[in-house]
Amino acid sequence: MSFEKLSLVYFSPTGTTRRTVQNIATGIALPLQEIDRTAVSSRKQPHHFSSKDLVVIALPVYGGRLPGISTEFFAGITADKTPAAIVAVYGNRHYDDALIELKNCAIAAGFMPIAAGAFLGEHSYSSKVAANRPDADDATAGNGFGARFLQKAQTLASATMDASGLVDVPGHFPYEKPVVNSGITPVANDNCIDCHTCVEGCPTDAIDRQNPRLTDKDKCISCCYCVKVCPNDARHMDDPRILATVNRLETLFMTRREPEIFI
Ligand SMILES: Cc1cc2nc3c(=O)[nH]c(=O)nc-3n(C[C@H](O)[C@H](O)[C@H](O)COP(=O)(O)O)c2cc1C
Ligand code: SF4
Ligand code: SF4
């Protein structure tokens, strides 16, 4: 069976998940559609996929789970037994129950998750942990994963697409950890020049338009986009709990982990 197009559906505040799925797409020679559901407005758009589509669905790992916005991410997305590759991108600690949660969400939306990958991205909280990843080796792994996903989809489609093709992934159900909802926001200092870059790119519209030094702690998901993007180094995570986490990550989780593929 031939597929008509490949869609990349992802959430990626600091860009590593986006780069990972773009690497995967290099292994799949089909017309490409990117559906970036990082912005609030993009998560309100409905999308439907048929059995002629191939889809890669990817989110970062937050606290061993999917980010809390994953409910919004999947709202309005429907599929009709569409073969999907599910991808969790994590910052060199672990992905814990995120892949199995992603599998369950994808099935609930109507997808057939037939391939899965846990890939590495530079940690949102520390540029020293999984620094500069995905790198060239991750790109090669992504390309190979894409090719194997396409091959499996073609093999299954020529028979019947049924539950026997679903991929097995590690993880617990019921999930062992709660969804991360720390209420910890970055703080802005006097370096802020009101350029609004952080306001425009915040994935939850948590930063005040009139005064970007103010952040709504009920909306903020601690994604660190604003910290990384600020051109004037005006936003920082200085909460002691985050600093302790960074210290732990930079002490215990520096040994390079490699992508894991499940097919
Ligand atoms: C709130 C939060 C929680 C995170 N929890 C984990 C985790 O449990 N395990 C891990 O290895 N990385 C964790 N990370 C790191 C991200 O999964 C990783 O940096 C990912 O590449 C970010 O994706 P993005 O660039 O698409 O935003 C966390 C990051 C954030 C912001
Ligand atoms: S990106 Fe930095 S300088 Fe620009 S508005 Fe935000 S905090 Fe201020
Ligand atoms: S305010 Fe919070 S949610 Fe918005 S970009 Fe900054 S860390 Fe992410």
Side-chain angles (χ1 to χ4, degrees), residues 119-183:
F119 283 82
L120 282 298
E122 179 174 296
H123 205 291
S124 320
Y125 288 157
S126 167
S127 56
K128 295 181 188 158
V129 181
N132 300 314
R133 296 185 75 180
D135 59 16
D137 289 342
D138 295 314
T140 304
N143 172 284
F145 175 63
R148 289 181 65 190
F149 167 47
L150 174 62
Q151 193 179 38
K152 181 170 178 185
Q154 284 169 334
T155 307
L156 286 177
S158 58
T160 44
M161 185 67 72
D162 63 23
S164 63
L166 292 180
V167 67
D168 283 328
V169 296
H172 306 90
F173 187 80
Y175 310 122
E176 287 197 332
K177 295 184 177 183
V179 170
V180 168
N181 189 7
S182 66

Side-chain angles (χ1 to χ4, degrees), residues 186 202-204 206-207 215 219-226 235 237:
C202 171
T204 59
I207 305 173
T215 306
K219 287 186 178 173
C220 177
I221 57 168
S222 312
C223 73
C224 292
Y225 162 78
C226 57
R235 292 179 72 88
M237 283 285 192

Side-chain angles (χ1 to χ4, degrees), residues 11-18 59-65 89-96 119-125 133 177 180 182 221-224 249:
F11 175 76
S12 185
T14 66
T16 63
T17 305
R18 183 184 65 244
L59 293 101
V61 176
Y62 282 9
R65 295 282 304 272
V89 179
Y90 71 105
N92 212 59
R93 187 193 64 77
H94 208 276
Y95 52 91
D96 300 314
F119 283 82
L120 282 298
E122 179 174 296
H123 205 291
S124 320
Y125 288 157
R133 296 185 75 180
K177 295 184 177 183
V180 168
S182 66
I221 57 168
S222 312
C223 73
C224 292
L249 289 166

Side-chain angles (χ1 to χ4, degrees), residues 49 74 77-84 104-113:
F49 301 96
F74 276 102
I77 292 192
T78 52
D80 183 12
K81 291 192 173 180
T82 310
N104 292 339
C105 293
I107 290 172
F111 292 97
M112 300 289 288

Side-chain angles (χ1 to χ4, degrees), residues 226-245:
C226 57
V227 175
K228 292 207 174 200
V229 81
C230 176
N232 234 25
D233 201 23
R235 292 179 72 88
H236 300 99
M237 283 285 192
D238 66 356
D239 187 286
R241 288 164 292 178
I242 299 285
L243 297 180
T245 299

